[in-house]
Short mmCIF file of all heavy atoms in Angstrom, two decimals:
data_model
loop_
_atom_site.label_atom_id
_atom_site.label_comp_id
_atom_site.label_asym_id
_atom_site.label_seq_id
_atom_site.Cartn_x
_atom_site.Cartn_y
_atom_site.Cartn_z
N GLY A 113 -34.12 -82.25 -13.54
CA GLY A 113 -33.15 -82.65 -12.53
C GLY A 113 -31.75 -82.73 -13.10
O GLY A 113 -30.77 -82.33 -12.46
N PHE A 114 -31.64 -83.26 -14.31
CA PHE A 114 -30.34 -83.36 -14.97
C PHE A 114 -29.76 -81.97 -15.21
O PHE A 114 -28.58 -81.72 -14.96
CB PHE A 114 -30.48 -84.12 -16.29
CG PHE A 114 -29.23 -84.08 -17.12
CD1 PHE A 114 -28.14 -84.88 -16.79
CD2 PHE A 114 -29.13 -83.23 -18.21
CE1 PHE A 114 -26.99 -84.84 -17.55
CE2 PHE A 114 -27.98 -83.18 -18.97
CZ PHE A 114 -26.90 -83.98 -18.64
N LEU A 115 -30.59 -81.05 -15.69
CA LEU A 115 -30.12 -79.69 -15.97
C LEU A 115 -29.73 -78.97 -14.68
O LEU A 115 -28.74 -78.23 -14.65
CB LEU A 115 -31.18 -78.90 -16.72
CG LEU A 115 -31.47 -79.38 -18.15
CD1 LEU A 115 -32.61 -78.57 -18.76
CD2 LEU A 115 -30.22 -79.26 -19.02
N ASP A 116 -30.48 -79.20 -13.62
CA ASP A 116 -30.15 -78.59 -12.34
C ASP A 116 -28.79 -79.09 -11.83
O ASP A 116 -27.98 -78.31 -11.34
CB ASP A 116 -31.23 -78.88 -11.29
CG ASP A 116 -32.52 -78.12 -11.57
OD1 ASP A 116 -32.48 -77.10 -12.30
OD2 ASP A 116 -33.57 -78.53 -11.03
N ARG A 117 -28.56 -80.40 -11.95
CA ARG A 117 -27.28 -80.95 -11.51
C ARG A 117 -26.13 -80.44 -12.38
O ARG A 117 -25.05 -80.13 -11.87
CB ARG A 117 -27.31 -82.47 -11.55
CG ARG A 117 -28.05 -83.06 -10.33
CD ARG A 117 -28.04 -84.54 -10.38
NE ARG A 117 -28.97 -84.87 -11.49
CZ ARG A 117 -29.19 -86.06 -11.98
NH1 ARG A 117 -28.55 -87.09 -11.50
NH2 ARG A 117 -30.03 -86.26 -12.96
N ALA A 118 -26.37 -80.35 -13.66
CA ALA A 118 -25.34 -79.85 -14.57
C ALA A 118 -25.01 -78.39 -14.24
O ALA A 118 -23.83 -78.00 -14.23
CB ALA A 118 -25.79 -79.99 -16.01
N LYS A 119 -26.03 -77.61 -13.97
CA LYS A 119 -25.82 -76.20 -13.62
C LYS A 119 -25.05 -76.10 -12.30
O LYS A 119 -24.12 -75.30 -12.18
CB LYS A 119 -27.17 -75.49 -13.49
CG LYS A 119 -27.05 -74.03 -13.15
CD LYS A 119 -28.41 -73.38 -13.06
CE LYS A 119 -28.31 -71.94 -12.62
NZ LYS A 119 -29.61 -71.29 -12.46
N GLU A 120 -25.39 -76.92 -11.33
CA GLU A 120 -24.70 -76.90 -10.04
C GLU A 120 -23.24 -77.28 -10.20
O GLU A 120 -22.35 -76.65 -9.62
CB GLU A 120 -25.39 -77.86 -9.06
CG GLU A 120 -24.78 -77.86 -7.68
CD GLU A 120 -25.50 -78.82 -6.74
OE1 GLU A 120 -26.74 -78.93 -6.82
OE2 GLU A 120 -24.78 -79.44 -5.94
N GLN A 121 -22.98 -78.31 -11.00
CA GLN A 121 -21.60 -78.73 -11.23
C GLN A 121 -20.80 -77.65 -11.94
O GLN A 121 -19.63 -77.41 -11.63
CB GLN A 121 -21.57 -80.03 -12.02
CG GLN A 121 -22.01 -81.23 -11.21
CD GLN A 121 -22.06 -82.51 -12.04
OE1 GLN A 121 -22.01 -82.48 -13.27
NE2 GLN A 121 -22.16 -83.65 -11.36
N ALA A 122 -21.42 -76.99 -12.88
CA ALA A 122 -20.75 -75.91 -13.60
C ALA A 122 -20.42 -74.76 -12.65
O ALA A 122 -19.33 -74.17 -12.73
CB ALA A 122 -21.61 -75.43 -14.76
N GLN A 123 -21.34 -74.44 -11.76
CA GLN A 123 -21.11 -73.37 -10.80
C GLN A 123 -19.98 -73.75 -9.83
O GLN A 123 -19.15 -72.90 -9.48
CB GLN A 123 -22.39 -73.05 -10.03
CG GLN A 123 -23.41 -72.32 -10.87
CD GLN A 123 -24.75 -72.14 -10.16
OE1 GLN A 123 -25.06 -72.86 -9.21
NE2 GLN A 123 -25.53 -71.17 -10.62
N GLN A 124 -19.93 -75.01 -9.41
CA GLN A 124 -18.86 -75.46 -8.53
C GLN A 124 -17.51 -75.38 -9.23
O GLN A 124 -16.52 -74.95 -8.64
CB GLN A 124 -19.13 -76.89 -8.05
CG GLN A 124 -20.25 -77.00 -7.04
CD GLN A 124 -20.56 -78.46 -6.69
OE1 GLN A 124 -20.08 -79.38 -7.33
NE2 GLN A 124 -21.39 -78.63 -5.67
N ALA A 125 -17.48 -75.79 -10.48
CA ALA A 125 -16.24 -75.73 -11.25
C ALA A 125 -15.78 -74.28 -11.43
O ALA A 125 -14.59 -73.98 -11.32
CB ALA A 125 -16.41 -76.41 -12.61
N LEU A 126 -16.71 -73.39 -11.68
CA LEU A 126 -16.39 -71.98 -11.83
C LEU A 126 -15.83 -71.42 -10.52
O LEU A 126 -14.82 -70.71 -10.52
CB LEU A 126 -17.64 -71.19 -12.25
CG LEU A 126 -17.46 -69.70 -12.45
CD1 LEU A 126 -16.46 -69.41 -13.57
CD2 LEU A 126 -18.79 -69.05 -12.77
N GLN A 127 -16.43 -71.78 -9.41
CA GLN A 127 -15.96 -71.32 -8.11
C GLN A 127 -14.55 -71.85 -7.82
O GLN A 127 -13.70 -71.12 -7.34
CB GLN A 127 -16.93 -71.74 -7.00
CG GLN A 127 -16.54 -71.23 -5.63
CD GLN A 127 -16.51 -69.71 -5.54
OE1 GLN A 127 -17.28 -69.01 -6.18
NE2 GLN A 127 -15.59 -69.20 -4.75
N GLN A 128 -14.32 -73.11 -8.13
CA GLN A 128 -13.00 -73.69 -7.92
C GLN A 128 -11.95 -72.99 -8.79
O GLN A 128 -10.83 -72.74 -8.35
CB GLN A 128 -13.01 -75.19 -8.22
CG GLN A 128 -13.74 -76.00 -7.17
CD GLN A 128 -13.88 -77.47 -7.57
OE1 GLN A 128 -13.68 -77.84 -8.73
NE2 GLN A 128 -14.22 -78.30 -6.60
N GLY A 129 -12.34 -72.67 -10.00
CA GLY A 129 -11.43 -71.95 -10.90
C GLY A 129 -11.10 -70.57 -10.36
O GLY A 129 -9.93 -70.15 -10.39
N LYS A 130 -12.09 -69.87 -9.84
CA LYS A 130 -11.86 -68.54 -9.27
C LYS A 130 -10.93 -68.63 -8.06
O LYS A 130 -10.04 -67.81 -7.88
CB LYS A 130 -13.18 -67.91 -8.85
CG LYS A 130 -14.02 -67.40 -9.99
CD LYS A 130 -15.31 -66.77 -9.49
CE LYS A 130 -16.19 -66.32 -10.63
NZ LYS A 130 -17.45 -65.73 -10.15
N GLU A 131 -11.14 -69.65 -7.22
CA GLU A 131 -10.30 -69.82 -6.04
C GLU A 131 -8.86 -70.10 -6.44
O GLU A 131 -7.92 -69.60 -5.82
CB GLU A 131 -10.85 -70.94 -5.16
CG GLU A 131 -12.15 -70.57 -4.46
CD GLU A 131 -12.82 -71.75 -3.76
OE1 GLU A 131 -12.26 -72.87 -3.78
OE2 GLU A 131 -13.91 -71.54 -3.21
N LYS A 132 -8.67 -70.89 -7.47
CA LYS A 132 -7.32 -71.21 -7.93
C LYS A 132 -6.63 -69.96 -8.48
O LYS A 132 -5.45 -69.73 -8.21
CB LYS A 132 -7.37 -72.32 -9.00
CG LYS A 132 -6.02 -72.77 -9.46
CD LYS A 132 -5.23 -73.41 -8.34
CE LYS A 132 -3.90 -73.92 -8.84
NZ LYS A 132 -3.05 -74.39 -7.76
N VAL A 133 -7.36 -69.15 -9.23
CA VAL A 133 -6.80 -67.91 -9.77
C VAL A 133 -6.39 -67.00 -8.63
O VAL A 133 -5.29 -66.42 -8.64
CB VAL A 133 -7.81 -67.21 -10.71
CG1 VAL A 133 -7.39 -65.78 -11.00
CG2 VAL A 133 -7.96 -68.00 -12.00
N GLU A 134 -7.24 -66.88 -7.60
CA GLU A 134 -6.91 -66.03 -6.45
C GLU A 134 -5.68 -66.56 -5.72
O GLU A 134 -4.82 -65.78 -5.29
CB GLU A 134 -8.10 -65.96 -5.50
CG GLU A 134 -9.26 -65.15 -6.05
CD GLU A 134 -10.52 -65.24 -5.21
OE1 GLU A 134 -10.51 -65.91 -4.15
OE2 GLU A 134 -11.53 -64.63 -5.61
N GLU A 135 -5.55 -67.88 -5.63
CA GLU A 135 -4.40 -68.48 -4.97
C GLU A 135 -3.12 -68.17 -5.75
O GLU A 135 -2.10 -67.80 -5.16
CB GLU A 135 -4.60 -69.99 -4.87
CG GLU A 135 -3.44 -70.73 -4.24
CD GLU A 135 -3.65 -72.24 -4.26
OE1 GLU A 135 -4.80 -72.71 -4.20
OE2 GLU A 135 -2.64 -72.95 -4.35
N VAL A 136 -3.17 -68.31 -7.05
CA VAL A 136 -2.00 -68.03 -7.89
C VAL A 136 -1.63 -66.55 -7.79
O VAL A 136 -0.44 -66.21 -7.68
CB VAL A 136 -2.26 -68.46 -9.35
CG1 VAL A 136 -1.19 -67.92 -10.28
CG2 VAL A 136 -2.34 -69.97 -9.45
N GLN A 137 -2.62 -65.68 -7.81
CA GLN A 137 -2.35 -64.24 -7.69
C GLN A 137 -1.72 -63.91 -6.35
O GLN A 137 -0.79 -63.09 -6.27
CB GLN A 137 -3.62 -63.44 -7.91
CG GLN A 137 -4.10 -63.44 -9.34
CD GLN A 137 -5.44 -62.76 -9.52
OE1 GLN A 137 -6.25 -62.66 -8.59
NE2 GLN A 137 -5.70 -62.29 -10.72
N ALA A 138 -2.18 -64.54 -5.28
CA ALA A 138 -1.61 -64.30 -3.95
C ALA A 138 -0.17 -64.80 -3.90
O ALA A 138 0.70 -64.16 -3.30
CB ALA A 138 -2.46 -64.98 -2.87
N GLN A 139 0.11 -65.95 -4.53
CA GLN A 139 1.48 -66.47 -4.56
C GLN A 139 2.40 -65.54 -5.32
O GLN A 139 3.53 -65.28 -4.91
CB GLN A 139 1.50 -67.86 -5.17
CG GLN A 139 0.93 -68.92 -4.26
CD GLN A 139 0.95 -70.31 -4.89
OE1 GLN A 139 1.21 -70.47 -6.07
NE2 GLN A 139 0.67 -71.31 -4.08
N ARG A 140 1.92 -65.03 -6.43
CA ARG A 140 2.74 -64.10 -7.22
C ARG A 140 3.00 -62.82 -6.44
O ARG A 140 4.12 -62.30 -6.45
CB ARG A 140 2.05 -63.77 -8.55
CG ARG A 140 2.12 -64.88 -9.54
CD ARG A 140 1.49 -64.49 -10.85
NE ARG A 140 1.54 -65.60 -11.78
CZ ARG A 140 0.84 -65.67 -12.89
NH1 ARG A 140 0.02 -64.68 -13.23
NH2 ARG A 140 0.93 -66.72 -13.68
N ALA A 141 1.98 -62.30 -5.79
CA ALA A 141 2.14 -61.09 -4.99
C ALA A 141 3.14 -61.33 -3.86
O ALA A 141 3.99 -60.48 -3.58
CB ALA A 141 0.80 -60.63 -4.44
N GLY A 142 3.04 -62.49 -3.21
CA GLY A 142 3.98 -62.83 -2.15
C GLY A 142 5.40 -62.91 -2.67
O GLY A 142 6.35 -62.42 -2.03
N GLY A 143 5.57 -63.51 -3.81
CA GLY A 143 6.89 -63.59 -4.42
C GLY A 143 7.46 -62.22 -4.75
O GLY A 143 8.66 -61.96 -4.54
N GLU A 144 6.61 -61.34 -5.22
CA GLU A 144 7.04 -59.98 -5.53
C GLU A 144 7.43 -59.23 -4.25
O GLU A 144 8.44 -58.50 -4.24
CB GLU A 144 5.92 -59.23 -6.27
CG GLU A 144 6.32 -57.88 -6.79
CD GLU A 144 7.38 -57.92 -7.89
OE1 GLU A 144 7.50 -58.93 -8.60
OE2 GLU A 144 8.10 -56.91 -8.02
N LEU A 145 6.67 -59.41 -3.19
CA LEU A 145 7.01 -58.77 -1.92
C LEU A 145 8.33 -59.31 -1.37
O LEU A 145 9.13 -58.54 -0.81
CB LEU A 145 5.88 -58.98 -0.90
CG LEU A 145 4.60 -58.21 -1.20
CD1 LEU A 145 3.47 -58.70 -0.30
CD2 LEU A 145 4.82 -56.71 -1.02
N LEU A 146 8.54 -60.59 -1.51
CA LEU A 146 9.80 -61.19 -1.07
C LEU A 146 10.97 -60.63 -1.88
O LEU A 146 12.03 -60.32 -1.33
CB LEU A 146 9.72 -62.71 -1.19
CG LEU A 146 10.86 -63.51 -0.59
CD1 LEU A 146 10.99 -63.25 0.90
CD2 LEU A 146 10.63 -64.99 -0.85
N LYS A 147 10.77 -60.49 -3.17
CA LYS A 147 11.79 -59.90 -4.04
C LYS A 147 12.08 -58.46 -3.63
O LYS A 147 13.24 -58.04 -3.56
CB LYS A 147 11.33 -59.96 -5.49
CG LYS A 147 12.32 -59.44 -6.49
CD LYS A 147 11.82 -59.65 -7.89
CE LYS A 147 11.63 -58.31 -8.53
NZ LYS A 147 11.13 -58.38 -9.89
N ASN A 148 11.03 -57.71 -3.30
CA ASN A 148 11.20 -56.32 -2.87
C ASN A 148 12.00 -56.25 -1.57
O ASN A 148 12.83 -55.35 -1.39
CB ASN A 148 9.85 -55.63 -2.69
CG ASN A 148 9.13 -55.42 -3.99
OD1 ASN A 148 9.70 -55.53 -5.08
ND2 ASN A 148 7.84 -55.14 -3.91
N LEU A 149 11.72 -57.18 -0.66
CA LEU A 149 12.47 -57.22 0.60
C LEU A 149 13.95 -57.49 0.33
O LEU A 149 14.82 -56.82 0.89
CB LEU A 149 11.90 -58.28 1.54
CG LEU A 149 12.67 -58.52 2.84
CD1 LEU A 149 12.75 -57.24 3.66
CD2 LEU A 149 12.02 -59.64 3.63
N GLY A 150 14.22 -58.44 -0.52
CA GLY A 150 15.61 -58.73 -0.86
C GLY A 150 16.31 -57.54 -1.49
O GLY A 150 17.46 -57.23 -1.15
N ALA A 151 15.62 -56.85 -2.38
CA ALA A 151 16.20 -55.68 -3.03
C ALA A 151 16.45 -54.56 -2.02
O ALA A 151 17.49 -53.88 -2.07
CB ALA A 151 15.28 -55.19 -4.15
N ALA A 152 15.51 -54.37 -1.10
CA ALA A 152 15.67 -53.32 -0.09
C ALA A 152 16.85 -53.65 0.83
O ALA A 152 17.65 -52.77 1.18
CB ALA A 152 14.38 -53.16 0.72
N TYR A 153 16.95 -54.91 1.22
CA TYR A 153 18.05 -55.32 2.09
C TYR A 153 19.39 -55.15 1.37
O TYR A 153 20.35 -54.64 1.94
CB TYR A 153 17.86 -56.77 2.53
CG TYR A 153 18.98 -57.28 3.40
CD1 TYR A 153 19.07 -56.89 4.73
CD2 TYR A 153 19.96 -58.12 2.88
CE1 TYR A 153 20.12 -57.34 5.53
CE2 TYR A 153 21.00 -58.58 3.67
CZ TYR A 153 21.08 -58.18 4.98
OH TYR A 153 22.11 -58.62 5.77
N TYR A 154 19.44 -55.57 0.12
CA TYR A 154 20.66 -55.44 -0.66
C TYR A 154 21.06 -53.97 -0.78
O TYR A 154 22.23 -53.61 -0.58
CB TYR A 154 20.47 -56.06 -2.05
CG TYR A 154 21.69 -55.96 -2.93
CD1 TYR A 154 22.77 -56.81 -2.74
CD2 TYR A 154 21.75 -55.01 -3.94
CE1 TYR A 154 23.90 -56.71 -3.54
CE2 TYR A 154 22.87 -54.91 -4.75
CZ TYR A 154 23.95 -55.76 -4.54
OH TYR A 154 25.07 -55.66 -5.34
N ALA A 155 20.09 -53.11 -1.09
CA ALA A 155 20.38 -51.68 -1.22
C ALA A 155 20.88 -51.12 0.11
O ALA A 155 21.82 -50.31 0.13
CB ALA A 155 19.14 -50.94 -1.69
N GLU A 156 20.26 -51.54 1.20
CA GLU A 156 20.70 -51.06 2.51
C GLU A 156 22.14 -51.48 2.80
O GLU A 156 22.95 -50.68 3.24
CB GLU A 156 19.77 -51.61 3.60
CG GLU A 156 20.14 -51.16 5.00
CD GLU A 156 19.27 -51.77 6.08
OE1 GLU A 156 18.30 -52.49 5.76
OE2 GLU A 156 19.59 -51.53 7.25
N ARG A 157 22.46 -52.74 2.52
CA ARG A 157 23.81 -53.24 2.77
C ARG A 157 24.84 -52.56 1.88
O ARG A 157 25.99 -52.40 2.28
CB ARG A 157 23.86 -54.76 2.56
CG ARG A 157 22.98 -55.55 3.50
CD ARG A 157 23.42 -55.48 4.92
NE ARG A 157 24.68 -56.18 5.04
CZ ARG A 157 25.43 -56.20 6.12
NH1 ARG A 157 25.04 -55.56 7.19
NH2 ARG A 157 26.56 -56.85 6.15
N ARG A 158 24.44 -52.17 0.68
CA ARG A 158 25.36 -51.50 -0.26
C ARG A 158 25.49 -50.01 0.03
O ARG A 158 26.30 -49.33 -0.58
CB ARG A 158 24.87 -51.68 -1.69
CG ARG A 158 24.77 -53.12 -2.16
CD ARG A 158 25.98 -53.61 -2.82
NE ARG A 158 26.40 -52.68 -3.86
CZ ARG A 158 27.50 -52.79 -4.54
NH1 ARG A 158 28.29 -53.79 -4.31
NH2 ARG A 158 27.83 -51.92 -5.45
N GLY A 159 24.65 -49.50 0.92
CA GLY A 159 24.74 -48.09 1.29
C GLY A 159 23.83 -47.17 0.50
O GLY A 159 23.81 -45.97 0.73
N SER A 160 23.04 -47.73 -0.42
CA SER A 160 22.14 -46.88 -1.21
C SER A 160 20.69 -46.98 -0.74
O SER A 160 19.82 -46.30 -1.29
CB SER A 160 22.22 -47.25 -2.69
OG SER A 160 21.82 -48.59 -2.89
N GLY A 161 20.42 -47.79 0.26
CA GLY A 161 19.07 -47.94 0.79
C GLY A 161 19.04 -47.56 2.26
O GLY A 161 20.06 -47.22 2.85
N THR A 162 17.86 -47.65 2.82
CA THR A 162 17.70 -47.28 4.22
C THR A 162 17.12 -48.45 5.01
O THR A 162 16.46 -49.33 4.46
CB THR A 162 16.75 -46.09 4.38
OG1 THR A 162 15.44 -46.48 3.94
CG2 THR A 162 17.22 -44.88 3.57
N GLY A 163 17.37 -48.42 6.29
CA GLY A 163 16.76 -49.40 7.17
C GLY A 163 15.25 -49.31 7.16
O GLY A 163 14.56 -50.32 7.27
N GLN A 164 14.74 -48.10 7.00
CA GLN A 164 13.29 -47.92 6.96
C GLN A 164 12.67 -48.58 5.74
O GLN A 164 11.61 -49.19 5.82
CB GLN A 164 12.92 -46.43 7.00
CG GLN A 164 11.43 -46.18 7.10
CD GLN A 164 10.82 -46.77 8.36
OE1 GLN A 164 11.32 -46.57 9.44
NE2 GLN A 164 9.74 -47.53 8.21
N ALA A 165 13.34 -48.48 4.60
CA ALA A 165 12.83 -49.13 3.39
C ALA A 165 12.81 -50.65 3.57
O ALA A 165 11.86 -51.32 3.16
CB ALA A 165 13.68 -48.75 2.18
N THR A 166 13.84 -51.19 4.21
CA THR A 166 13.88 -52.63 4.47
C THR A 166 12.76 -53.01 5.42
O THR A 166 12.07 -54.01 5.20
CB THR A 166 15.26 -53.03 5.04
OG1 THR A 166 16.27 -52.64 4.11
CG2 THR A 166 15.34 -54.52 5.28
N GLN A 167 12.58 -52.23 6.48
CA GLN A 167 11.52 -52.52 7.44
C GLN A 167 10.15 -52.42 6.80
O GLN A 167 9.27 -53.24 7.05
CB GLN A 167 11.61 -51.57 8.65
CG GLN A 167 10.66 -51.92 9.76
CD GLN A 167 10.92 -53.31 10.33
OE1 GLN A 167 12.05 -53.65 10.67
NE2 GLN A 167 9.88 -54.12 10.45
N ASP A 168 9.94 -51.44 5.93
CA ASP A 168 8.66 -51.30 5.23
C ASP A 168 8.38 -52.51 4.34
O ASP A 168 7.25 -53.01 4.30
CB ASP A 168 8.64 -50.02 4.38
CG ASP A 168 8.61 -48.75 5.22
OD1 ASP A 168 8.33 -48.82 6.44
OD2 ASP A 168 8.87 -47.67 4.63
N ALA A 169 9.42 -52.97 3.66
CA ALA A 169 9.26 -54.16 2.80
C ALA A 169 8.95 -55.38 3.65
O ALA A 169 8.10 -56.21 3.28
CB ALA A 169 10.52 -54.37 1.96
N LEU A 170 9.61 -55.51 4.79
CA LEU A 170 9.35 -56.63 5.69
C LEU A 170 7.93 -56.56 6.24
O LEU A 170 7.23 -57.58 6.29
CB LEU A 170 10.36 -56.63 6.84
CG LEU A 170 10.19 -57.73 7.89
CD1 LEU A 170 10.33 -59.11 7.25
CD2 LEU A 170 11.21 -57.55 9.00
N ASN A 171 7.49 -55.38 6.62
CA ASN A 171 6.12 -55.21 7.12
C ASN A 171 5.08 -55.59 6.07
O ASN A 171 4.09 -56.25 6.38
CB ASN A 171 5.89 -53.78 7.60
CG ASN A 171 6.68 -53.44 8.84
OD1 ASN A 171 7.15 -54.32 9.56
ND2 ASN A 171 6.85 -52.16 9.09
N ALA A 172 5.32 -55.19 4.83
CA ALA A 172 4.39 -55.53 3.75
C ALA A 172 4.35 -57.04 3.54
O ALA A 172 3.26 -57.62 3.36
CB ALA A 172 4.80 -54.82 2.46
N LEU A 173 5.50 -57.68 3.58
CA LEU A 173 5.56 -59.13 3.42
C LEU A 173 4.85 -59.84 4.58
O LEU A 173 4.06 -60.76 4.35
CB LEU A 173 7.02 -59.59 3.34
CG LEU A 173 7.24 -61.09 3.19
CD1 LEU A 173 6.64 -61.59 1.87
CD2 LEU A 173 8.72 -61.41 3.25
N GLU A 174 5.08 -59.39 5.79
CA GLU A 174 4.42 -60.00 6.95
C GLU A 174 2.91 -59.81 6.90
O GLU A 174 2.16 -60.71 7.29
CB GLU A 174 5.00 -59.45 8.24
CG GLU A 174 6.41 -59.97 8.50
CD GLU A 174 7.06 -59.37 9.73
OE1 GLU A 174 6.62 -58.30 10.20
OE2 GLU A 174 8.02 -59.99 10.22
N ALA A 175 2.45 -58.66 6.44
CA ALA A 175 1.01 -58.42 6.30
C ALA A 175 0.42 -59.39 5.28
O ALA A 175 -0.66 -59.95 5.49
CB ALA A 175 0.76 -56.97 5.89
N HIS A 176 1.11 -59.58 4.18
CA HIS A 176 0.65 -60.52 3.15
C HIS A 176 0.57 -61.94 3.71
O HIS A 176 -0.41 -62.65 3.49
CB HIS A 176 1.59 -60.47 1.94
CG HIS A 176 1.21 -61.40 0.85
ND1 HIS A 176 0.25 -61.10 -0.07
CD2 HIS A 176 1.65 -62.65 0.54
CE1 HIS A 176 0.11 -62.12 -0.91
NE2 HIS A 176 0.95 -63.07 -0.56
N ILE A 177 1.60 -62.33 4.45
CA ILE A 177 1.62 -63.66 5.05
C ILE A 177 0.48 -63.80 6.05
O ILE A 177 -0.15 -64.86 6.12
CB ILE A 177 2.99 -63.94 5.70
CG1 ILE A 177 4.04 -64.13 4.61
CG2 ILE A 177 2.92 -65.17 6.61
CD1 ILE A 177 5.47 -64.19 5.13
N GLY A 178 0.18 -62.75 6.78
CA GLY A 178 -0.92 -62.78 7.74
C GLY A 178 -2.26 -63.05 7.08
O GLY A 178 -3.12 -63.71 7.66
N VAL A 179 -2.42 -62.57 5.87
CA VAL A 179 -3.69 -62.74 5.16
C VAL A 179 -3.71 -64.03 4.34
O VAL A 179 -4.69 -64.76 4.34
CB VAL A 179 -3.95 -61.52 4.24
CG1 VAL A 179 -5.17 -61.75 3.35
CG2 VAL A 179 -4.13 -60.26 5.05
#
Side-chain angles (χ1 to χ4, degrees):
F114 171 76
L115 292 176
D116 289 340
R117 281 182 289 174
K119 181 179 176 183
E120 182 179 323
Q121 288 177 346
Q123 288 173 339
Q124 288 175 349
L126 180 62
Q127 183 61 34
Q128 288 174 345
K130 285 180 183 180
E131 289 170 2
K132 184 64 177 173
V133 166
E134 289 171 2
E135 178 184 329
V136 168
Q137 288 174 336
Q139 287 179 349
R140 285 183 182 165
E144 187 66 26
L145 290 169
L146 189 59
K147 182 175 117 181
N148 292 345
L149 174 59
Y153 179 76
Y154 180 77
E156 180 184 355
R157 298 293 292 172
R158 300 268 309 174
S160 61
T162 65
Q164 185 61 49
T166 302
Q167 188 61 50
D168 291 346
L170 179 61
N171 292 342
L173 180 63
E174 288 176 341
H176 179 82
I177 289 171
V179 173

